[in-house]
Amino acid sequence: MANTYLETAFNVPLTADEAALLEECFETAAEISAGYASIPQEELEAAKTFYASRSSLFRATFPTQAGNDDPFVTFLALWSDPDFPCLDADLTIDDDHGGEGLLAYIHGHEVDVSALASLIQKVCKSALPFGFEWALVTDQDRPGGFGGGYYVVTETEILGGSTRWLMKETLRSLRAGA
């Protein structure tokens, strides 16, 4: 049996407000995944209290949704599976020694790269357009066990995909033109 990992490591330039919000989003995701995933009705009041304790910038970026009792519904929409809001990445914020502002270093194994792309789109607006790469590796040689991909994040779109998809599309277009 082979173990497969999705890995990434990249820097995102950001403002102080964006850095604070990004840290809060990482903390909020960790808190929700530890105790609020798929919020049961009896825990709904605890979730509302926790949401109210978030910063005004967090609440403005991820507002409540009319007709939905879950106060985190817009935040959880970052994930393809809102019942499992884990980024599985580490975040470090430091001064951007090559420019102005701050630099977020995001890295990890088993990272949810699509959720990270969505989070960057919502939170790191000063960095847009922005791109990052990811790698898919396995600890045993096997067909399809290696690859990677990229995301380019703009204000309105998240573009990109896996190298497997890019390869298949290239082969398809070559065969169609033959």
Side-chain angles (χ1 to χ4, degrees):
M1 175 178 225
N3 296 304
T4 303
Y5 306 97
L6 197 151
E7 303 175 354
T8 194
F10 58 90
N11 290 321
V12 182
L14 33 69
T15 67
D17 286 343
E18 291 168 341
L21 180 57
L22 188 61
E23 285 179 318
E24 185 175 14
C25 288
F26 268 71
E27 293 165 4
T28 301
E31 182 68 27
I32 290 172
S33 66
Y36 294 112
S38 252
I39 301 170
Q41 194 62 29
E42 62 270 4
E43 292 186 30
L44 194 54
E45 289 308 312
K48 288 178 180 178
T49 300
F50 181 62
Y51 180 81
S53 74
R54 304 293 80 202
S55 71
S56 59
L57 186 53
F58 180 94
R59 292 189 315 269
T61 305
F62 302 103
T64 58
Q65 190 176 70
N68 194 316
D69 288 338
D70 183 350
F72 289 101
V73 69
T74 59
F75 180 67
L76 295 173
L78 296 173
W79 286 268
S80 58
D81 183 355
D83 290 337
F84 191 66
C86 289
L87 294 168
D88 287 325
D90 294 318
L91 171 68
T92 305
I93 308 282
D94 200 1
D95 289 332
D96 182 358
H97 300 291
E100 298 176 18
L102 300 170
L103 201 59
Y105 173 49
I106 300 173
H107 62 98
H109 305 280
E110 296 305 308
V111 177
D112 187 337
V113 290
S114 63
L116 279 176
S118 296
L119 183 63
I120 289 166
Q121 185 181 49
K122 292 287 253 180
V123 173
C124 305
K125 300 224 182 253
S126 69
L128 302 180
F130 178 79
F132 68 94
E133 298 171 292
W134 49 271
L136 180 68
V137 296
T138 185
D139 60 3
Q140 293 183 15
D141 293 339
R142 61 181 347 165
F146 300 93
Y150 73 97
Y151 282 110
V152 171
V153 182
T154 73
E155 185 80 27
T156 59
E157 297 179 282
I158 298 175
L159 308 164
S162 71
T163 55
R164 180 179 313 273
W165 175 81
L166 292 168
M167 179 183 66
K168 285 182 179 182
E169 287 300 305
T170 302
L171 288 169
R172 184 189 61 74
S173 68
L174 289 171
R175 289 179 183 134

